Amino acid sequence: MELRVLHYFLAVTREKSISGAAGALHLSQPTLSRQLREMETELGKQLFVRSNRTITLTEEGMLLRKRAEEILSLVSRTKDEISLSDEVVAGDIHIGAGESEGIRFLAKAAKALQEEYPLVHFHNVSADRVTVTEDLDKGLLDFGILFGDIDTSKYECLKVPHTERFGVLMRRDDPLARKESITPEDLRGKPLIVSRQPRGDNSMLRNLEGQQVVATYNLLFNGSIMVEEGMGYAICFDHIINVSGDSPLCFRPLEGQPEIEMHVVWKKYQVFTKAGQKFLEKLREMADD
């Protein structure tokens, strides 16, 4: 399958018609139709459901669209990295990170690096552990920020001087809000809203087995809306949602919970660009300090 044909395929998914995509690509409609039919024949699957005015993707077509976007993104990044001068430290660094006050460590390292190398640009993807590890494995991210246990068979890691503890985000008018801290027993029978990351990744979520989990979130802002609407209590880190002033929400720490370590991780045997290598050196330097 040629990259050129993947470009054609994505153009059709954007325009939702063969004629519209042919115009955007400056191709004749018969030529584009033939390329798409040859792609379907090669894959042995129907990718489009065609009608008079528009086309829609089949399930296989939706999967191909996702993979095509990832492939072409990697190709573009690779071209940019290879084309950079040997003497210039420049380029893009892609980082996936969950929500945490600890991201300040990365921001400080990024700022320090850009003061030395202003042509380095950072792209942060806010995501939970599931998405960060998936994108690391696909090569879409250079670095990820993870809390808790690290799979050292897949990743190298650098411990960051920041830890977190779990607590409970709840409505300010809830009876439990009168307490200064919350025990696991206080949550027995309560509707809980938890991160979608696997529960085996940390002791707190493992302790929730058997509890009434009514919803999950991948970014806490959405979870906080659920809390505000009275769906339940969100298990999360502090300092992510603003609970000061006239906020209807409050945060209470969970008693007896150990501190959770934060790590910068990257794939084993990762070959970094000059910018990526300099960033890793800066992270190590700041972690040592």
Side-chain angles (χ1 to χ4, degrees):
M1 186 184 304
E2 298 181 26
L3 295 177
R4 169 178 53 83
V5 181
L6 288 180
H7 278 292
Y8 294 170
F9 170 77
L10 289 179
V12 174
T13 66
R14 288 193 300 269
E15 300 295 332
K16 300 188 184 303
S17 75
I18 301 293
S19 60
L25 294 167
H26 305 291
L27 293 174
S28 69
Q29 189 170 333
T31 297
L32 180 56
S33 295
R34 177 174 53 79
Q35 294 279 1
L36 296 175
R37 284 196 302 270
E38 290 176 356
M39 174 184 282
E40 288 181 316
T41 300
E42 178 183 354
L43 295 174
K45 295 290 184 180
Q46 182 179 352
L47 302 174
F48 303 103
V49 177
R50 296 163 175 84
S51 64
N52 291 334
R53 296 189 176 182
T54 187
I55 63 170
T56 57
L57 292 174
T58 63
E59 185 175 341
E60 290 79 10
M62 289 188 284
L63 175 60
L64 180 60
R65 179 178 63 185
K66 183 173 185 295
R67 295 291 182 249
E69 290 171 345
E70 293 170 354
I71 290 168
L72 295 177
S73 175
L74 280 174
V75 169
S76 176
R77 283 184 58 192
T78 302
K79 287 181 178 178
D80 291 343
E81 291 166 0
I82 291 175
S83 64
L84 290 174
S85 166
D86 288 341
E87 289 121 15
V88 175
V89 177
D92 299 307
I93 298 175
H94 296 259
I95 305 170
E99 299 165 294
S100 166
E101 181 72 11
I103 302 306
R104 288 187 184 278
F105 175 82
L106 258 72
K108 290 177 180 178
K111 181 177 183 296
L113 188 68
Q114 285 183 327
E115 288 175 351
E116 296 181 50
Y117 307 105
L119 295 179
V120 175
H121 300 99
F122 290 87
H123 307 276
N124 180 67
V125 177
S126 294
D128 63 8
R129 185 185 185 100
V130 172
T131 301
V132 169
T133 53
E134 285 179 352
D135 286 354
L136 275 172
D137 294 343
K138 293 173 184 174
L140 300 176
L141 296 175
D142 301 302
F143 299 95
I145 303 300
L146 299 179
F147 289 88
D149 299 333
I150 305 300
D151 184 354
T152 53
S153 68
K154 293 175 63 177
Y155 307 113
E156 301 286 353
C157 64
L158 172 67
K159 183 179 175 182
V160 170
H162 179 84
T163 58
E164 290 281 4
R165 280 183 175 172
F166 279 108
V168 184
L169 187 69
M170 68 183 80
R171 288 176 59 96
R172 194 177 293 276
D173 58 6
D174 190 279
L176 287 182
R178 302 191 195 104
K179 303 189 66 173
E180 293 186 1
S181 60
I182 305 298
T183 68
E185 301 307 317
D186 291 329
L187 298 176
R188 294 292 174 195
K190 302 292 187 184
L192 302 183
I193 301 168
V194 302
S195 168
R196 70 167 181 163
Q197 70 185 52
R199 295 189 187 183
D201 284 343
N202 62 69
S203 59
M204 179 59 218
L205 296 183
R206 287 196 294 269
N207 290 339
L208 294 177
E209 291 294 343
Q211 293 270 40
Q212 182 188 358
V213 176
V214 297
T216 64
Y217 62 85
N218 67 330
L219 294 177
L220 185 57
F221 177 78
N222 293 336
S224 72
I225 298 296
M226 298 179 193
V227 175
E228 190 172 336
E229 291 300 320
M231 286 182 60
Y233 303 76
I235 308 300
C236 60
F237 294 152
D238 199 0
H239 306 298
I240 300 174
I241 300 299
N242 184 1
V243 295
S244 63
D246 59 356
S247 170
L249 303 179
C250 65
F251 180 90
R252 296 293 181 265
L254 272 162
E255 292 182 12
Q257 292 304 311
E259 293 185 345
I260 302 173
E261 294 181 344
M262 174 177 167
H263 295 85
V264 179
V265 303
W266 59 96
K267 287 175 66 176
K268 274 187 175 294
Y269 315 114
Q270 172 90 345
V271 178
F272 287 113
T273 61
K274 284 186 173 59
Q277 185 61 45
K278 290 292 185 183
F279 184 55
L280 181 56
E281 292 170 5
K282 183 65 67 176
L283 290 171
R284 284 179 167 146
E285 174 188 325
M286 293 183 63
D288 288 342
D289 290 341

